[in-house]
Amino acid sequence: MSDFAMDSIEELAPPAGKFVESYEGSSKAFPSGKSFLDAFHDDQYAKSLPPGPAWLCEEVKPEAPTKHPVCLFYHQLLECLQALLSNPVLTPHISFIPRKVWTSTVRICCIYDKWLTGEQAWDAQDALPPSRTILGVILSSDKMKISIMTRNCMAHPILISLANINVGVHSKTSLHGYLLLALLPIPKFFEKTTCICSLLQDRLFHQVLNQLLTPLKTAATVGIMMSDPVGNLHYCYTLLASWIVDTLEECLLAATGPKASPVTIAMSKDFGNPFHHPSCTSSLTLSAIEAACAEQDPFDYKNFLKVIKCLHLNSVIKPCWKGRLLSDPSQFLTPEPLHHFHRMFWDHDTKWCIAVTGSVELTFHFSLLQDSCWIPHV
């Protein structure tokens, strides 16, 4: 067994003065897998190297007629995960074993600097059988134009990565820490009513995601054998660790209305409250959807929209995360920097500082800050 299997070379040893507690009995590696370099040596002309995920296309049938055929362009999800895991460039940057990092052996103050050092990864490993490996899947999406000169097409690009990869690697484009998983269609319906068109688009979005993410659901339920960069095999279970989207898409994914929080039970009128509201779990959302469907036929669009407005839902009746183990919107919808950090600072922290110090005192301190000095590149 290679040294890599032993906790990715123990993360190159913990920093001095810190105590690391690793999860015992997880991520057992099985030898005899084929690494990237093994495949290269098998064929000196590199004709048998793994070609990588291939583009596929499937026609999707929406609930209502559209002006053009709806096609989904995508890669197989598990092939993308295997391509990330077997990338030899990422060999020193991937780890599989959850750990708790403490500032000292007293174990009072815990350090959270990676996904595998958090409670979510540790608790998920607790739920798995011994010797199994947990893979934290990261998805990212944002509606955008993909062609301007030809037909002005729009799509939802979906990117995929792994939380097991070092955080610093994700931001380096040259290391290809993210792969393009799919281009979700954004069709134009014959329906003229704006609110009904929005309803149909929201349902189609989740319908396509259900089709795209089905392999992820299977791997989370029964597991799948995958090879790491040095050729060791791991029996992996996939956990949706994070979905990086803006606030509007968070509501779309969580199946909540625009005036409700996608991760808590707070409404728009409660957003200024000084306490944390309980999480909006998947069971609460699914119960609200069932109540709406029981009260009104979900295919009677106009009347159904009136019912879901009172329940703060967005008309989706089959969310893409329904029935997926270890995946809950209140957990995988992570904070978005612009609205959750930047706006929080200006709406709360800045007002608190002005109230405590006074505007004159705060302005004086800002005036003492030196201008940054820079040297132009000649």
Side-chain angles (χ1 to χ4, degrees), residues 322-357:
K322 181 179 180 180
R324 302 186 187 278
L325 297 177
L326 308 177
S327 297
D328 194 296
S330 62
Q331 295 292 330
F332 65 72
L333 289 177
T334 49
E336 189 237 327
L338 174 61
H339 296 89
H340 293 233
F341 296 151
H342 182 74
R343 292 303 310 173
M344 183 184 71
F345 172 78
W346 288 109
D347 291 343
H348 300 283
D349 295 10
T350 305
K351 292 180 180 179
W352 295 338
C353 291
I354 293 174
V356 172
T357 64

PDB file of all heavy atoms in Angstrom, residues 322-357:
ATOM      1  N   LYS A 322     -34.735  15.606  -2.994  1.00  0.00           N
ATOM      2  CA  LYS A 322     -35.664  14.722  -2.288  1.00  0.00           C
ATOM      3  C   LYS A 322     -35.155  13.274  -2.316  1.00  0.00           C
ATOM      4  O   LYS A 322     -34.804  12.744  -3.357  1.00  0.00           O
ATOM      5  CB  LYS A 322     -37.043  14.789  -2.944  1.00  0.00           C
ATOM      6  CG  LYS A 322     -38.093  13.925  -2.265  1.00  0.00           C
ATOM      7  CD  LYS A 322     -39.438  14.047  -2.952  1.00  0.00           C
ATOM      8  CE  LYS A 322     -40.491  13.180  -2.277  1.00  0.00           C
ATOM      9  NZ  LYS A 322     -41.811  13.285  -2.950  1.00  0.00           N
ATOM     10  N   GLY A 323     -35.108  12.639  -1.141  1.00  0.00           N
ATOM     11  CA  GLY A 323     -34.699  11.246  -1.052  1.00  0.00           C
ATOM     12  C   GLY A 323     -33.204  11.011  -1.121  1.00  0.00           C
ATOM     13  O   GLY A 323     -32.763   9.870  -1.241  1.00  0.00           O
ATOM     14  N   ARG A 324     -32.415  12.072  -1.030  1.00  0.00           N
ATOM     15  CA  ARG A 324     -30.958  11.906  -1.101  1.00  0.00           C
ATOM     16  C   ARG A 324     -30.381  11.865   0.308  1.00  0.00           C
ATOM     17  O   ARG A 324     -30.592  12.786   1.096  1.00  0.00           O
ATOM     18  CB  ARG A 324     -30.312  13.035  -1.913  1.00  0.00           C
ATOM     19  CG  ARG A 324     -30.864  13.112  -3.326  1.00  0.00           C
ATOM     20  CD  ARG A 324     -30.133  14.134  -4.186  1.00  0.00           C
ATOM     21  NE  ARG A 324     -30.802  14.293  -5.470  1.00  0.00           N
ATOM     22  CZ  ARG A 324     -30.634  13.484  -6.500  1.00  0.00           C
ATOM     23  NH1 ARG A 324     -29.790  12.477  -6.403  1.00  0.00           N
ATOM     24  NH2 ARG A 324     -31.278  13.687  -7.636  1.00  0.00           N
ATOM     25  N   LEU A 325     -29.657  10.812   0.602  1.00  0.00           N
ATOM     26  CA  LEU A 325     -29.066  10.656   1.923  1.00  0.00           C
ATOM     27  C   LEU A 325     -27.975  11.690   2.147  1.00  0.00           C
ATOM     28  O   LEU A 325     -27.252  12.059   1.224  1.00  0.00           O
ATOM     29  CB  LEU A 325     -28.484   9.243   2.076  1.00  0.00           C
ATOM     30  CG  LEU A 325     -29.484   8.082   2.011  1.00  0.00           C
ATOM     31  CD1 LEU A 325     -28.734   6.756   2.105  1.00  0.00           C
ATOM     32  CD2 LEU A 325     -30.519   8.187   3.118  1.00  0.00           C
ATOM     33  N   LEU A 326     -27.836  12.140   3.369  1.00  0.00           N
ATOM     34  CA  LEU A 326     -26.766  13.049   3.795  1.00  0.00           C
ATOM     35  C   LEU A 326     -26.785  14.367   3.028  1.00  0.00           C
ATOM     36  O   LEU A 326     -25.757  15.021   2.887  1.00  0.00           O
ATOM     37  CB  LEU A 326     -25.388  12.375   3.631  1.00  0.00           C
ATOM     38  CG  LEU A 326     -25.218  10.999   4.276  1.00  0.00           C
ATOM     39  CD1 LEU A 326     -23.836  10.441   3.956  1.00  0.00           C
ATOM     40  CD2 LEU A 326     -25.426  11.067   5.774  1.00  0.00           C
ATOM     41  N   SER A 327     -27.946  14.763   2.508  1.00  0.00           N
ATOM     42  CA  SER A 327     -28.030  16.002   1.732  1.00  0.00           C
ATOM     43  C   SER A 327     -29.281  16.766   2.152  1.00  0.00           C
ATOM     44  O   SER A 327     -30.399  16.278   1.993  1.00  0.00           O
ATOM     45  CB  SER A 327     -28.070  15.709   0.232  1.00  0.00           C
ATOM     46  OG  SER A 327     -26.879  15.083  -0.206  1.00  0.00           O
ATOM     47  N   ASP A 328     -29.075  17.968   2.689  1.00  0.00           N
ATOM     48  CA  ASP A 328     -30.174  18.802   3.135  1.00  0.00           C
ATOM     49  C   ASP A 328     -29.864  20.238   2.725  1.00  0.00           C
ATOM     50  O   ASP A 328     -28.745  20.716   2.927  1.00  0.00           O
ATOM     51  CB  ASP A 328     -30.334  18.718   4.654  1.00  0.00           C
ATOM     52  CG  ASP A 328     -31.653  19.293   5.136  1.00  0.00           C
ATOM     53  OD1 ASP A 328     -31.853  20.517   4.965  1.00  0.00           O
ATOM     54  OD2 ASP A 328     -32.477  18.541   5.668  1.00  0.00           O
ATOM     55  N   PRO A 329     -30.821  20.964   2.106  1.00  0.00           N
ATOM     56  CA  PRO A 329     -30.538  22.338   1.667  1.00  0.00           C
ATOM     57  C   PRO A 329     -29.998  23.237   2.770  1.00  0.00           C
ATOM     58  O   PRO A 329     -29.174  24.112   2.513  1.00  0.00           O
ATOM     59  CB  PRO A 329     -31.907  22.824   1.163  1.00  0.00           C
ATOM     60  CG  PRO A 329     -32.623  21.589   0.758  1.00  0.00           C
ATOM     61  CD  PRO A 329     -32.174  20.522   1.720  1.00  0.00           C
ATOM     62  N   SER A 330     -30.472  23.051   3.990  1.00  0.00           N
ATOM     63  CA  SER A 330     -29.986  23.894   5.086  1.00  0.00           C
ATOM     64  C   SER A 330     -28.523  23.625   5.402  1.00  0.00           C
ATOM     65  O   SER A 330     -27.873  24.424   6.087  1.00  0.00           O
ATOM     66  CB  SER A 330     -30.831  23.665   6.342  1.00  0.00           C
ATOM     67  OG  SER A 330     -30.733  22.314   6.789  1.00  0.00           O
ATOM     68  N   GLN A 331     -27.978  22.507   4.886  1.00  0.00           N
ATOM     69  CA  GLN A 331     -26.576  22.172   5.109  1.00  0.00           C
ATOM     70  C   GLN A 331     -25.710  22.492   3.897  1.00  0.00           C
ATOM     71  O   GLN A 331     -24.617  23.050   4.034  1.00  0.00           O
ATOM     72  CB  GLN A 331     -26.448  20.671   5.444  1.00  0.00           C
ATOM     73  CG  GLN A 331     -27.111  20.262   6.741  1.00  0.00           C
ATOM     74  CD  GLN A 331     -26.424  20.817   7.964  1.00  0.00           C
ATOM     75  OE1 GLN A 331     -25.218  21.033   7.943  1.00  0.00           O
ATOM     76  NE2 GLN A 331     -27.181  21.052   9.015  1.00  0.00           N
ATOM     77  N   PHE A 332     -26.166  22.136   2.682  1.00  0.00           N
ATOM     78  CA  PHE A 332     -25.271  22.304   1.536  1.00  0.00           C
ATOM     79  C   PHE A 332     -25.382  23.678   0.869  1.00  0.00           C
ATOM     80  O   PHE A 332     -24.557  24.010   0.017  1.00  0.00           O
ATOM     81  CB  PHE A 332     -25.496  21.189   0.492  1.00  0.00           C
ATOM     82  CG  PHE A 332     -26.836  21.161  -0.186  1.00  0.00           C
ATOM     83  CD1 PHE A 332     -27.189  22.122  -1.116  1.00  0.00           C
ATOM     84  CD2 PHE A 332     -27.734  20.144   0.080  1.00  0.00           C
ATOM     85  CE1 PHE A 332     -28.413  22.079  -1.759  1.00  0.00           C
ATOM     86  CE2 PHE A 332     -28.967  20.091  -0.571  1.00  0.00           C
ATOM     87  CZ  PHE A 332     -29.306  21.066  -1.489  1.00  0.00           C
ATOM     88  N   LEU A 333     -26.382  24.488   1.214  1.00  0.00           N
ATOM     89  CA  LEU A 333     -26.434  25.850   0.681  1.00  0.00           C
ATOM     90  C   LEU A 333     -25.568  26.744   1.563  1.00  0.00           C
ATOM     91  O   LEU A 333     -25.989  27.208   2.614  1.00  0.00           O
ATOM     92  CB  LEU A 333     -27.880  26.358   0.643  1.00  0.00           C
ATOM     93  CG  LEU A 333     -28.780  25.718  -0.411  1.00  0.00           C
ATOM     94  CD1 LEU A 333     -30.196  26.261  -0.295  1.00  0.00           C
ATOM     95  CD2 LEU A 333     -28.238  25.931  -1.814  1.00  0.00           C
ATOM     96  N   THR A 334     -24.345  26.960   1.144  1.00  0.00           N
ATOM     97  CA  THR A 334     -23.378  27.730   1.929  1.00  0.00           C
ATOM     98  C   THR A 334     -23.560  29.224   1.695  1.00  0.00           C
ATOM     99  O   THR A 334     -24.096  29.640   0.661  1.00  0.00           O
ATOM    100  CB  THR A 334     -21.948  27.307   1.563  1.00  0.00           C
ATOM    101  OG1 THR A 334     -21.811  27.304   0.138  1.00  0.00           O
ATOM    102  CG2 THR A 334     -21.657  25.915   2.070  1.00  0.00           C
ATOM    103  N   PRO A 335     -23.113  30.080   2.628  1.00  0.00           N
ATOM    104  CA  PRO A 335     -23.309  31.534   2.498  1.00  0.00           C
ATOM    105  C   PRO A 335     -22.677  32.083   1.227  1.00  0.00           C
ATOM    106  O   PRO A 335     -21.607  31.660   0.814  1.00  0.00           O
ATOM    107  CB  PRO A 335     -22.620  32.090   3.749  1.00  0.00           C
ATOM    108  CG  PRO A 335     -22.636  30.972   4.726  1.00  0.00           C
ATOM    109  CD  PRO A 335     -22.508  29.722   3.923  1.00  0.00           C
ATOM    110  N   GLU A 336     -23.373  33.050   0.644  1.00  0.00           N
ATOM    111  CA  GLU A 336     -22.874  33.707  -0.559  1.00  0.00           C
ATOM    112  C   GLU A 336     -22.211  35.021  -0.167  1.00  0.00           C
ATOM    113  O   GLU A 336     -22.802  35.833   0.553  1.00  0.00           O
ATOM    114  CB  GLU A 336     -24.055  33.955  -1.506  1.00  0.00           C
ATOM    115  CG  GLU A 336     -23.654  34.439  -2.876  1.00  0.00           C
ATOM    116  CD  GLU A 336     -24.323  35.752  -3.202  1.00  0.00           C
ATOM    117  OE1 GLU A 336     -25.451  35.988  -2.757  1.00  0.00           O
ATOM    118  OE2 GLU A 336     -23.686  36.548  -3.903  1.00  0.00           O
ATOM    119  N   PRO A 337     -20.942  35.272  -0.574  1.00  0.00           N
ATOM    120  CA  PRO A 337     -20.162  36.417  -0.066  1.00  0.00           C
ATOM    121  C   PRO A 337     -20.837  37.774  -0.237  1.00  0.00           C
ATOM    122  O   PRO A 337     -20.858  38.572   0.694  1.00  0.00           O
ATOM    123  CB  PRO A 337     -18.855  36.333  -0.865  1.00  0.00           C
ATOM    124  CG  PRO A 337     -18.717  34.895  -1.225  1.00  0.00           C
ATOM    125  CD  PRO A 337     -20.118  34.411  -1.449  1.00  0.00           C
ATOM    126  N   LEU A 338     -21.422  38.038  -1.421  1.00  0.00           N
ATOM    127  CA  LEU A 338     -21.950  39.384  -1.660  1.00  0.00           C
ATOM    128  C   LEU A 338     -23.075  39.723  -0.692  1.00  0.00           C
ATOM    129  O   LEU A 338     -23.039  40.747  -0.008  1.00  0.00           O
ATOM    130  CB  LEU A 338     -22.447  39.500  -3.104  1.00  0.00           C
ATOM    131  CG  LEU A 338     -23.157  40.822  -3.447  1.00  0.00           C
ATOM    132  CD1 LEU A 338     -22.207  41.997  -3.245  1.00  0.00           C
ATOM    133  CD2 LEU A 338     -23.681  40.812  -4.873  1.00  0.00           C
ATOM    134  N   HIS A 339     -24.093  38.861  -0.593  1.00  0.00           N
ATOM    135  CA  HIS A 339     -25.268  39.180   0.222  1.00  0.00           C
ATOM    136  C   HIS A 339     -25.096  38.779   1.685  1.00  0.00           C
ATOM    137  O   HIS A 339     -25.651  39.427   2.566  1.00  0.00           O
ATOM    138  CB  HIS A 339     -26.512  38.488  -0.354  1.00  0.00           C
ATOM    139  CG  HIS A 339     -26.887  38.974  -1.714  1.00  0.00           C
ATOM    140  ND1 HIS A 339     -26.386  38.407  -2.857  1.00  0.00           N
ATOM    141  CD2 HIS A 339     -27.699  39.982  -2.114  1.00  0.00           C
ATOM    142  CE1 HIS A 339     -26.884  39.044  -3.913  1.00  0.00           C
ATOM    143  NE2 HIS A 339     -27.682  39.992  -3.497  1.00  0.00           N
ATOM    144  N   HIS A 340     -24.335  37.734   1.945  1.00  0.00           N
ATOM    145  CA  HIS A 340     -24.263  37.218   3.313  1.00  0.00           C
ATOM    146  C   HIS A 340     -23.107  37.816   4.108  1.00  0.00           C
ATOM    147  O   HIS A 340     -23.175  37.871   5.324  1.00  0.00           O
ATOM    148  CB  HIS A 340     -24.132  35.692   3.287  1.00  0.00           C
ATOM    149  CG  HIS A 340     -25.345  35.003   2.767  1.00  0.00           C
ATOM    150  ND1 HIS A 340     -25.988  34.002   3.457  1.00  0.00           N
ATOM    151  CD2 HIS A 340     -26.055  35.162   1.637  1.00  0.00           C
ATOM    152  CE1 HIS A 340     -27.031  33.565   2.757  1.00  0.00           C
ATOM    153  NE2 HIS A 340     -27.085  34.251   1.646  1.00  0.00           N
ATOM    154  N   PHE A 341     -22.045  38.253   3.438  1.00  0.00           N
ATOM    155  CA  PHE A 341     -20.898  38.828   4.153  1.00  0.00           C
ATOM    156  C   PHE A 341     -20.813  40.333   3.930  1.00  0.00           C
ATOM    157  O   PHE A 341     -20.802  41.120   4.881  1.00  0.00           O
ATOM    158  CB  PHE A 341     -19.597  38.166   3.696  1.00  0.00           C
ATOM    159  CG  PHE A 341     -19.517  36.703   4.016  1.00  0.00           C
ATOM    160  CD1 PHE A 341     -18.773  35.845   3.228  1.00  0.00           C
ATOM    161  CD2 PHE A 341     -20.177  36.178   5.108  1.00  0.00           C
ATOM    162  CE1 PHE A 341     -18.700  34.495   3.525  1.00  0.00           C
ATOM    163  CE2 PHE A 341     -20.114  34.841   5.417  1.00  0.00           C
ATOM    164  CZ  PHE A 341     -19.368  33.987   4.622  1.00  0.00           C
ATOM    165  N   HIS A 342     -20.768  40.744   2.662  1.00  0.00           N
ATOM    166  CA  HIS A 342     -20.605  42.162   2.353  1.00  0.00           C
ATOM    167  C   HIS A 342     -21.794  42.974   2.868  1.00  0.00           C
ATOM    168  O   HIS A 342     -21.616  43.975   3.577  1.00  0.00           O
ATOM    169  CB  HIS A 342     -20.440  42.334   0.843  1.00  0.00           C
ATOM    170  CG  HIS A 342     -20.220  43.755   0.412  1.00  0.00           C
ATOM    171  ND1 HIS A 342     -19.019  44.400   0.611  1.00  0.00           N
ATOM    172  CD2 HIS A 342     -21.054  44.650  -0.187  1.00  0.00           C
ATOM    173  CE1 HIS A 342     -19.111  45.637   0.148  1.00  0.00           C
ATOM    174  NE2 HIS A 342     -20.326  45.809  -0.347  1.00  0.00           N
ATOM    175  N   ARG A 343     -23.005  42.550   2.523  1.00  0.00           N
ATOM    176  CA  ARG A 343     -24.171  43.291   2.967  1.00  0.00           C
ATOM    177  C   ARG A 343     -24.377  43.192   4.478  1.00  0.00           C
ATOM    178  O   ARG A 343     -24.836  44.140   5.104  1.00  0.00           O
ATOM    179  CB  ARG A 343     -25.426  42.774   2.246  1.00  0.00           C
ATOM    180  CG  ARG A 343     -25.478  43.067   0.767  1.00  0.00           C
ATOM    181  CD  ARG A 343     -25.367  44.550   0.480  1.00  0.00           C
ATOM    182  NE  ARG A 343     -26.282  45.370   1.253  1.00  0.00           N
ATOM    183  CZ  ARG A 343     -26.274  46.685   1.276  1.00  0.00           C
ATOM    184  NH1 ARG A 343     -25.356  47.344   0.569  1.00  0.00           N
ATOM    185  NH2 ARG A 343     -27.131  47.360   1.992  1.00  0.00           N
ATOM    186  N   MET A 344     -24.031  42.043   5.060  1.00  0.00           N
ATOM    187  CA  MET A 344     -24.157  41.912   6.509  1.00  0.00           C
ATOM    188  C   MET A 344     -23.243  42.920   7.213  1.00  0.00           C
ATOM    189  O   MET A 344     -23.616  43.516   8.228  1.00  0.00           O
ATOM    190  CB  MET A 344     -23.790  40.494   6.952  1.00  0.00           C
ATOM    191  CG  MET A 344     -23.962  40.262   8.444  1.00  0.00           C
ATOM    192  SD  MET A 344     -23.426  38.636   8.991  1.00  0.00           S
ATOM    193  CE  MET A 344     -21.652  38.790   8.814  1.00  0.00           C
ATOM    194  N   PHE A 345     -22.037  43.128   6.657  1.00  0.00           N
ATOM    195  CA  PHE A 345     -21.105  44.083   7.260  1.00  0.00           C
ATOM    196  C   PHE A 345     -21.688  45.495   7.235  1.00  0.00           C
ATOM    197  O   PHE A 345     -21.676  46.197   8.249  1.00  0.00           O
ATOM    198  CB  PHE A 345     -19.774  44.042   6.510  1.00  0.00           C
ATOM    199  CG  PHE A 345     -18.807  45.114   6.936  1.00  0.00           C
ATOM    200  CD1 PHE A 345     -18.085  44.981   8.108  1.00  0.00           C
ATOM    201  CD2 PHE A 345     -18.635  46.250   6.164  1.00  0.00           C
ATOM    202  CE1 PHE A 345     -17.195  45.971   8.505  1.00  0.00           C
ATOM    203  CE2 PHE A 345     -17.759  47.240   6.549  1.00  0.00           C
ATOM    204  CZ  PHE A 345     -17.032  47.111   7.722  1.00  0.00           C
ATOM    205  N   TRP A 346     -22.238  45.909   6.099  1.00  0.00           N
ATOM    206  CA  TRP A 346     -22.755  47.270   6.000  1.00  0.00           C
ATOM    207  C   TRP A 346     -24.085  47.438   6.735  1.00  0.00           C
ATOM    208  O   TRP A 346     -24.364  48.513   7.286  1.00  0.00           O
ATOM    209  CB  TRP A 346     -22.923  47.658   4.526  1.00  0.00           C
ATOM    210  CG  TRP A 346     -21.614  47.887   3.835  1.00  0.00           C
ATOM    211  CD1 TRP A 346     -21.025  47.102   2.897  1.00  0.00           C
ATOM    212  CD2 TRP A 346     -20.704  48.969   4.072  1.00  0.00           C
ATOM    213  NE1 TRP A 346     -19.806  47.615   2.524  1.00  0.00           N
ATOM    214  CE2 TRP A 346     -19.583  48.778   3.234  1.00  0.00           C
ATOM    215  CE3 TRP A 346     -20.727  50.089   4.906  1.00  0.00           C
ATOM    216  CZ2 TRP A 346     -18.508  49.643   3.193  1.00  0.00           C
ATOM    217  CZ3 TRP A 346     -19.650  50.962   4.869  1.00  0.00           C
ATOM    218  CH2 TRP A 346     -18.552  50.738   4.014  1.00  0.00           C
ATOM    219  N   ASP A 347     -24.890  46.401   6.771  1.00  0.00           N
ATOM    220  CA  ASP A 347     -26.201  46.520   7.405  1.00  0.00           C
ATOM    221  C   ASP A 347     -26.148  46.376   8.924  1.00  0.00           C
ATOM    222  O   ASP A 347     -27.051  46.852   9.615  1.00  0.00           O
ATOM    223  CB  ASP A 347     -27.162  45.468   6.844  1.00  0.00           C
ATOM    224  CG  ASP A 347     -27.523  45.741   5.388  1.00  0.00           C
ATOM    225  OD1 ASP A 347     -27.290  46.881   4.939  1.00  0.00           O
ATOM    226  OD2 ASP A 347     -28.011  44.826   4.711  1.00  0.00           O
ATOM    227  N   HIS A 348     -25.114  45.701   9.424  1.00  0.00           N
ATOM    228  CA  HIS A 348     -25.065  45.422  10.862  1.00  0.00           C
ATOM    229  C   HIS A 348     -23.774  45.924  11.514  1.00  0.00           C
ATOM    230  O   HIS A 348     -23.816  46.794  12.376  1.00  0.00           O
ATOM    231  CB  HIS A 348     -25.228  43.920  11.107  1.00  0.00           C
ATOM    232  CG  HIS A 348     -26.522  43.375  10.600  1.00  0.00           C
ATOM    233  ND1 HIS A 348     -27.713  43.548  11.250  1.00  0.00           N
ATOM    234  CD2 HIS A 348     -26.813  42.667   9.482  1.00  0.00           C
ATOM    235  CE1 HIS A 348     -28.690  42.986  10.576  1.00  0.00           C
ATOM    236  NE2 HIS A 348     -28.171  42.437   9.492  1.00  0.00           N
ATOM    237  N   ASP A 349     -22.623  45.382  11.087  1.00  0.00           N
ATOM    238  CA  ASP A 349     -21.370  45.713  11.763  1.00  0.00           C
ATOM    239  C   ASP A 349     -21.057  47.208  11.713  1.00  0.00           C
ATOM    240  O   ASP A 349     -20.645  47.807  12.727  1.00  0.00           O
ATOM    241  CB  ASP A 349     -20.208  44.937  11.125  1.00  0.00           C
ATOM    242  CG  ASP A 349     -20.358  43.439  11.321  1.00  0.00           C
ATOM    243  OD1 ASP A 349     -21.432  43.021  11.772  1.00  0.00           O
ATOM    244  OD2 ASP A 349     -19.408  42.695  11.018  1.00  0.00           O
ATOM    245  N   THR A 350     -21.237  47.831  10.538  1.00  0.00           N
ATOM    246  CA  THR A 350     -20.940  49.254  10.416  1.00  0.00           C
ATOM    247  C   THR A 350     -21.850  50.089  11.308  1.00  0.00           C
ATOM    248  O   THR A 350     -21.405  51.029  11.982  1.00  0.00           O
ATOM    249  CB  THR A 350     -21.088  49.705   8.949  1.00  0.00           C
ATOM    250  OG1 THR A 350     -20.267  48.884   8.116  1.00  0.00           O
ATOM    251  CG2 THR A 350     -20.686  51.158   8.779  1.00  0.00           C
ATOM    252  N   LYS A 351     -23.138  49.757  11.357  1.00  0.00           N
ATOM    253  CA  LYS A 351     -24.074  50.504  12.205  1.00  0.00           C
ATOM    254  C   LYS A 351     -23.737  50.339  13.680  1.00  0.00           C
ATOM    255  O   LYS A 351     -23.855  51.283  14.473  1.00  0.00           O
ATOM    256  CB  LYS A 351     -25.504  50.027  11.931  1.00  0.00           C
ATOM    257  CG  LYS A 351     -26.004  50.393  10.527  1.00  0.00           C
ATOM    258  CD  LYS A 351     -27.423  49.893  10.307  1.00  0.00           C
ATOM    259  CE  LYS A 351     -27.917  50.248   8.908  1.00  0.00           C
ATOM    260  NZ  LYS A 351     -29.293  49.749   8.659  1.00  0.00           N
ATOM    261  N   TRP A 352     -23.302  49.116  14.057  1.00  0.00           N
ATOM    262  CA  TRP A 352     -22.916  48.901  15.454  1.00  0.00           C
ATOM    263  C   TRP A 352     -21.697  49.750  15.818  1.00  0.00           C
ATOM    264  O   TRP A 352     -21.649  50.347  16.900  1.00  0.00           O
ATOM    265  CB  TRP A 352     -22.614  47.419  15.681  1.00  0.00           C
ATOM    266  CG  TRP A 352     -23.802  46.532  15.509  1.00  0.00           C
ATOM    267  CD1 TRP A 352     -25.115  46.898  15.604  1.00  0.00           C
ATOM    268  CD2 TRP A 352     -23.793  45.133  15.200  1.00  0.00           C
ATOM    269  NE1 TRP A 352     -25.933  45.811  15.371  1.00  0.00           N
ATOM    270  CE2 TRP A 352     -25.155  44.710  15.125  1.00  0.00           C
ATOM    271  CE3 TRP A 352     -22.803  44.204  14.989  1.00  0.00           C
ATOM    272  CZ2 TRP A 352     -25.513  43.405  14.847  1.00  0.00           C
ATOM    273  CZ3 TRP A 352     -23.165  42.888  14.708  1.00  0.00           C
ATOM    274  CH2 TRP A 352     -24.493  42.495  14.632  1.00  0.00           C
ATOM    275  N   CYS A 353     -20.714  49.802  14.917  1.00  0.00           N
ATOM    276  CA  CYS A 353     -19.499  50.589  15.186  1.00  0.00           C
ATOM    277  C   CYS A 353     -19.828  52.075  15.308  1.00  0.00           C
ATOM    278  O   CYS A 353     -19.287  52.772  16.181  1.00  0.00           O
ATOM    279  CB  CYS A 353     -18.472  50.376  14.080  1.00  0.00           C
ATOM    280  SG  CYS A 353     -17.743  48.722  14.053  1.00  0.00           S
ATOM    281  N   ILE A 354     -20.730  52.569  14.449  1.00  0.00           N
ATOM    282  CA  ILE A 354     -21.108  53.987  14.517  1.00  0.00           C
ATOM    283  C   ILE A 354     -21.851  54.278  15.813  1.00  0.00           C
ATOM    284  O   ILE A 354     -21.640  55.319  16.461  1.00  0.00           O
ATOM    285  CB  ILE A 354     -21.968  54.354  13.289  1.00  0.00           C
ATOM    286  CG1 ILE A 354     -21.135  54.266  12.007  1.00  0.00           C
ATOM    287  CG2 ILE A 354     -22.552  55.757  13.435  1.00  0.00           C
ATOM    288  CD1 ILE A 354     -21.932  54.482  10.736  1.00  0.00           C
ATOM    289  N   ALA A 355     -22.715  53.331  16.230  1.00  0.00           N
ATOM    290  CA  ALA A 355     -23.466  53.531  17.468  1.00  0.00           C
ATOM    291  C   ALA A 355     -22.552  53.522  18.691  1.00  0.00           C
ATOM    292  O   ALA A 355     -22.780  54.261  19.659  1.00  0.00           O
ATOM    293  CB  ALA A 355     -24.537  52.448  17.608  1.00  0.00           C
ATOM    294  N   VAL A 356     -21.480  52.722  18.655  1.00  0.00           N
ATOM    295  CA  VAL A 356     -20.584  52.605  19.812  1.00  0.00           C
ATOM    296  C   VAL A 356     -19.593  53.756  19.869  1.00  0.00           C
ATOM    297  O   VAL A 356     -19.392  54.377  20.921  1.00  0.00           O
ATOM    298  CB  VAL A 356     -19.831  51.255  19.760  1.00  0.00           C
ATOM    299  CG1 VAL A 356     -18.754  51.197  20.832  1.00  0.00           C
ATOM    300  CG2 VAL A 356     -20.813  50.101  19.937  1.00  0.00           C
ATOM    301  N   THR A 357     -18.956  54.060  18.732  1.00  0.00           N
ATOM    302  CA  THR A 357     -17.882  55.065  18.732  1.00  0.00           C
ATOM    303  C   THR A 357     -18.350  56.447  18.330  1.00  0.00           C
ATOM    304  O   THR A 357     -17.706  57.446  18.677  1.00  0.00           O
ATOM    305  CB  THR A 357     -16.764  54.632  17.767  1.00  0.00           C
ATOM    306  OG1 THR A 357     -17.275  54.603  16.426  1.00  0.00           O
ATOM    307  CG2 THR A 357     -16.233  53.267  18.119  1.00  0.00           C
TER     308      THR A 357
END
